[in-house]
Amino acid sequence: MASRKEGSGATGSGFGASKGKGKAATTGDSAVKQVQIDGLVVLKIIKHYQEEGQGNEVVQGVLLGLVVDDRLEITNCFPFPQHTEDDADFDEVQYQMEMMRSLRHVNIDHLHVGWYQSTYYGSFVTRALLDSQFSYQHAIEESVVLIYDPIKTAQGSLSLKAYRLTPKLMEVCKEKDFSPEALKKANIAYENMFEEVPIVIKNSYLINVMLWELEKKSAVADRHELLSLASSNHLGKSLQLLMDRVDEMSQDIVKYNTYLRNVSKQQQQKHQYQQRRQQENIQRQSRGEAPLPEEDINKLFKPPQPPPRMESLLIAGSQINTYCQNIKEFNAQNLGKLFMAQALQDYNN
């Protein structure tokens, strides 16, 4: 279940998504091709972060809706309550079941279709998120995780993305073998670990009319605030986080090189031991003595444990790639704002 820590989502609670007219997706193909979200759900997620998210604090919640053909429709959501580890009596599974039971009684969509969480400078690709999403997809095939980025949203454009684990990664997670050999055999790289599902935000006609009215009433000065070059601090923070991940990656490389050296050293020791026994048996045979008894060499020389590879993949590929993408987007936004500011200045002159 979810805790108030980054990346730890709730496990599947047994409330599956309701199928529409479509057939169940095959194992080799994605069960969801598109995610359709009601505008009210987006506002609830944003409101949840504004009320409880502070700094790098992550907020999480449950997504409710149904599946129609290959489209996942998210029509409602509710947040996980804020609590600490001292609240030992709080049962999150029971809380979710009671919430969905209450929604069902008032004829509101109550079927579990995934979960959402906010992110801090795009640092959402963690082992905890992978484990949580695997639990969801294992229990509910169509489930997704929505990632809301409040920092990018504050720059003037809504940042909301939906992710699923690929079938290859699902198979690896089922086996629970994340050794370098297992990941190499499954041909797992960071490019084929997660798949992003397109999102469409849907509003009723009355809401669209209201948005047009608000757009007309909004002041021109307020719109120009989007041209502010206030993302320099965000750019610096993203660069700092990128350097931290690179440092972690270099430490993982050192650990792996140490593991390779230990394996090579042990192979040499095993070879020397086998040669000594062979020479001693030859000498015993020449003296007419019985050879030494056979021994299990693997018990004498236990192979060193390889370092886990999954964390390195998440850091080296997905997380570093996310930070690089953030830096690229910040630079593009600043460049676009400079051009727009210059164009407005030329127009006013």
Side-chain angles (χ1 to χ4, degrees):
M1 295 301 299
S3 62
R4 303 298 299 178
K5 295 181 181 179
E6 180 178 353
S8 55
T11 57
S13 60
F15 286 78
S18 174
K19 282 285 185 180
K21 296 179 290 184
K23 298 180 181 179
T26 59
T27 305
D29 194 9
S30 176
V32 174
K33 299 296 184 183
Q34 185 186 77
V35 175
Q36 178 180 296
I37 310 176
D38 284 4
L40 180 61
V41 176
V42 178
L43 293 178
K44 283 184 176 181
I45 295 174
I46 297 174
K47 183 174 181 288
H48 183 198
Y49 176 81
Q50 291 178 346
E51 291 180 348
E52 296 189 10
Q54 298 177 359
N56 59 351
E57 180 73 15
V58 170
V59 299
Q60 300 169 337
V62 174
L63 300 175
L64 306 173
L66 70 160
V67 177
V68 180
D69 295 333
D70 58 355
R71 183 177 71 253
L72 179 64
E73 297 184 0
I74 301 174
T75 58
N76 202 355
C77 69
F78 63 86
F80 292 132
Q82 189 172 11
H83 65 280
T84 62
E85 296 179 356
D86 298 332
D87 301 330
D89 297 335
F90 182 78
D91 189 345
E92 293 191 352
V93 176
Q94 185 66 26
Y95 167 76
Q96 292 185 53
M97 295 179 66
E98 291 179 357
M99 282 292 297
M100 288 184 282
R101 190 179 297 113
S102 300
L103 292 173
R104 181 177 57 188
H105 288 164
V106 294
N107 199 24
I108 295 177
D109 289 341
H110 62 280
L111 297 173
H112 214 150
V113 294
W115 59 294
Y116 71 84
Q117 82 162 41
S118 63
T119 181
Y120 180 69
Y121 286 95
S123 57
F124 64 91
V125 185
T126 62
R127 178 64 182 274
L129 180 135
L130 186 149
D131 293 339
S132 299
Q133 184 57 24
F134 167 73
S135 299
Y136 264 104
Q137 282 187 226
H138 185 66
I140 308 169
E141 184 183 6
E142 301 85 0
S143 61
V144 299
V145 53
L146 286 183
I147 303 297
Y148 168 64
D149 192 331
I151 296 176
K152 287 186 179 180
T153 302
Q155 300 300 312
S157 60
L158 176 65
S159 179
L160 193 66
K161 296 184 179 181
Y163 292 98
R164 288 171 48 82
L165 303 186
T166 60
K168 282 186 177 182
L169 188 56
M170 286 293 295
E171 292 298 326
V172 172
C173 292
K174 287 179 183 178
E175 299 296 332
K176 297 182 179 180
D177 185 4
F178 302 109
S179 63
E181 292 77 11
L183 294 177
K184 183 178 180 181
K185 182 180 179 181
N187 194 23
I188 292 293
Y190 76 90
E191 294 92 345
N192 55 12
M193 295 177 66
F194 296 90
E195 58 182 2
E196 184 177 350
V197 185
I199 291 179
V200 174
I201 298 177
K202 181 181 178 181
N203 291 318
S204 66
Y205 294 112
L206 291 178
I207 293 179
N208 287 331
V209 171
M210 183 188 71
L211 291 176
W212 278 107
E213 290 295 328
L214 293 175
E215 179 72 16
K216 293 179 180 178
K217 294 179 181 179
S218 62
V220 178
D222 296 335
R223 301 177 191 176
H224 289 174
E225 290 181 359
L226 297 178
L227 298 179
S228 173
L229 299 179
S231 61
S232 58
N233 293 333
H234 303 315
L235 181 60
K237 184 64 177 179
S238 296
L239 286 171
Q240 181 62 47
L241 291 171
L242 177 60
M243 290 188 291
D244 293 341
R245 297 294 86 78
V246 172
D247 290 340
E248 291 181 15
M249 186 59 194
S250 63
Q251 294 175 5
D252 289 338
I253 292 175
V254 171
K255 292 179 182 178
Y256 187 69
N257 290 335
T258 303
Y259 161 73
L260 293 179
R261 287 195 299 269
N262 292 336
V263 170
S264 177
K265 183 179 179 180
Q266 188 183 76
Q267 291 295 333
Q268 293 177 1
Q269 292 174 351
K270 289 171 64 175
H271 182 66
Q272 293 173 0
Y273 176 79
Q274 289 174 340
Q275 284 184 336
R276 287 197 303 267
R277 284 183 61 87
Q278 186 178 5
Q279 292 175 0
E280 188 171 353
N281 283 332
I282 293 175
Q283 294 175 1
R284 292 173 66 91
Q285 186 178 5
S286 64
R287 296 194 299 266
E289 299 176 358
L292 295 172
E294 293 292 336
E295 294 181 350
D296 189 357
I297 195 170
N298 291 326
K299 291 183 178 180
L300 296 174
F301 298 92
K302 293 183 179 180
Q305 291 295 326
R309 181 65 176 160
M310 182 58 69
E311 285 77 6
S312 299
L313 276 177
L314 293 173
I315 294 174
S318 302
Q319 197 61 73
I320 290 180
N321 185 61
T322 300
Y323 289 139
C324 292
Q325 186 66 28
N326 289 345
I327 294 171
K328 185 188 299 183
E329 291 179 0
F330 282 137
N331 288 334
Q333 288 178 359
N334 284 340
L335 185 61
K337 290 175 181 179
L338 285 173
F339 283 132
M340 287 294 296
Q342 184 63 43
L344 285 174
Q345 183 177 3
D346 294 342
Y347 177 78
N348 292 331
N349 294 335

